[in-house]
């Protein structure tokens, strides 16, 4: 949880629900703080912290090995990454027509949050083949709901943490795409690396850095002043800043796109 929002990687098909948030989580926390038990003081302290927007109840790094999700909290921000493995299904069941486009939510999905509202209700306008942190073929047409629920194909997937910093890695293989990817989480930053990326399809292949709501101004190293709506080219050594985060492109070329999007729940 960050602010009033659950981590998108941990929500499953509930992302399909407009206004989905962590209200019930905090309701449970209020109950835990209201009666005597060995951890009542911890619950009260957590509740006091959670009442402050953008604050986190915890600070540190943990790899949740039962879901291959690594979460990295600091007082001012949170990073997370979820990788596929043969131990875990990538999604829950798409009941009631919900969550039918979540194909890549476990394929290295990486989220950057300060107050938790960076992705709030963004999902109707997301490009679901460009989930933050993922490498995916950019096929045309709709995602196939019959190919939604899968396990990872290679056992080399997981993470290691000492409680403060950590790293996650995966040898990714699925439907003609293979890649080796790793994430290293430090005190105030993280590094994401990809190597040996191959695709059997003759379609564009993209690794997405982020796809979030535009909040405030955006600056890029190659331009003077704040950027306007439009498309900007990125290359090795490019640096751009948005919403309290600074992005460094180590290698490769790509684009930075700023502008309105439309969609429907």
């Amino acid at each position: 949880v960050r602010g009033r929002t659950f981590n998108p990687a941990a929500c499953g098909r509930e992302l399909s629900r407009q206004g989905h948030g962590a209200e019930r989580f905090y309701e449970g926390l209020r109950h835990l703080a209201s009666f005597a038990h060995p951890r009542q003081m911890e619950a009260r302290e957590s509740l006091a912290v959670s009442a402050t927007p953008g604050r986190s109840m915890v600070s540190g790094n943990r790899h949740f090995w039962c879901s291959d999700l690594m979460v990295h909290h600091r007082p001012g921000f949170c990073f997370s990454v979820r990788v596929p493995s043969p131990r875990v299904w990538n999604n829950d069941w798409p009941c009631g027509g919900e969550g039918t486009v979540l194909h890549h939510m476990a394929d290295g999905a990486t989220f950057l949050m300060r107050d938790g509202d960076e992705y709030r209700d963004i999902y109707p306008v997301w490009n679901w083949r460009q989930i933050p942190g993922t490498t995916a073929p950019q096929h045309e047409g709709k995602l196939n709901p019959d190919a939604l629920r899968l396990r990872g194909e290679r056992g080399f997937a997981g993470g290691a943490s000492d409680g403060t910093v950590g790293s996650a890695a995966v040898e990714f293989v699925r439907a003609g795409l293979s890649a080796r990817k790793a994430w290293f989480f430090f005190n105030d930053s993280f590094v994401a690396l990809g190597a040996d990326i191959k695709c059997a399809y003759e379609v564009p292949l993209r690794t997405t850095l982020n796809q979030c709501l535009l909040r405030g101004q955006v600056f890029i190293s190659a331009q003077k002043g704040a950027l306007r709506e439009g498309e900007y080219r990125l290359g090795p050594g490019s640096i751009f800043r948005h919403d309290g985060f600074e992005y460094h492109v180590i290698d490769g070329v790509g684009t930075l796109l700023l502008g309105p999007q439309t969609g429907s729940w």
Side-chain angles (χ1 to χ4, degrees):
V1 173
R2 190 77 184 182
R4 60 177 181 161
T5 308
F6 278 114
N7 188 309
C11 288
R13 60 188 172 86
E14 292 187 15
L15 288 180
S16 299
R17 303 174 188 177
Q18 187 174 6
H20 179 268
E23 289 79 8
R24 289 188 177 182
F25 172 83
Y26 290 118
E27 181 181 352
L29 189 59
R30 284 190 290 271
H31 284 302
L32 286 172
S34 68
F35 64 92
H37 57 88
R39 301 180 69 177
Q40 182 184 25
M41 186 56 64
E42 181 182 351
R44 287 180 174 177
E45 292 172 353
S46 298
L47 191 61
V49 171
S50 67
T52 306
R55 289 289 302 279
S56 172
M57 294 179 290
V58 295
S59 182
N61 178 285
R62 176 171 292 182
H63 185 70
F64 294 91
W65 57 270
C66 284
S67 54
D68 280 317
L69 170 67
M70 176 165 282
V71 181
H72 187 78
H73 276 287
R74 292 296 187 268
F77 63 87
C78 172
F79 303 143
S80 72
V81 61
R82 184 169 171 227
V83 299
S85 81
R87 302 178 294 273
V88 185
W89 292 104
N90 60 339
N91 287 295
D92 58 0
W93 292 106
C95 301
E98 293 184 325
T100 59
V101 291
L102 305 182
H103 297 61
H104 300 295
M105 282 296 287
D107 293 352
T110 306
F111 296 105
L112 291 68
M113 295 180 286
R114 291 192 301 119
D115 59 18
D117 283 354
E118 288 79 1
Y119 309 99
R120 183 130 181 127
D121 282 348
I122 196 174
Y123 309 112
V125 299
W126 244 8
N127 182 332
W128 289 91
R129 289 187 172 93
Q130 295 179 20
I131 293 176
T134 62
T135 300
Q138 304 299 298
H139 295 287
E140 296 182 358
K142 295 182 178 181
L143 289 159
N144 180 9
D146 294 331
L148 171 65
R149 202 163 186 262
L150 302 167
R151 294 181 184 267
E153 295 187 16
R154 297 292 175 88
F156 188 86
S161 172
D162 68 356
T164 302
V165 298
S167 63
V170 63
E171 184 179 4
F172 184 90
V173 176
R174 178 176 296 156
L177 173 65
S178 62
R180 297 181 180 184
K181 301 186 70 174
W183 297 258
F184 302 88
F185 296 91
F186 303 108
N187 187 51
D188 61 354
S189 61
F190 80 93
V191 177
L193 302 177
D196 197 24
I197 300 173
K198 301 174 183 177
C199 185
Y201 304 109
E202 294 184 0
V203 296
L205 186 66
R206 287 194 174 183
T207 297
T208 301
L209 301 182
N210 205 352
Q211 189 183 180
C212 60
L213 297 172
L214 179 63
R215 306 200 304 178
Q217 295 180 317
V218 182
F219 299 88
I220 193 170
S221 56
Q223 303 279 341
K224 291 184 178 180
L227 302 184
R228 299 180 178 180
E229 290 182 7
E231 186 173 311
Y232 300 86
R233 187 168 178 80
L234 302 173
S238 294
I239 300 173
F240 63 95
R241 300 191 303 276
H242 170 244
D243 196 24
F245 292 112
E246 186 172 272
Y247 301 77
H248 293 243
V249 180
I250 301 173
D251 197 3
V253 296
T255 56
L256 173 64
L257 180 64
L258 307 176
Q261 301 290 326
T262 59
S264 171
W265 288 97

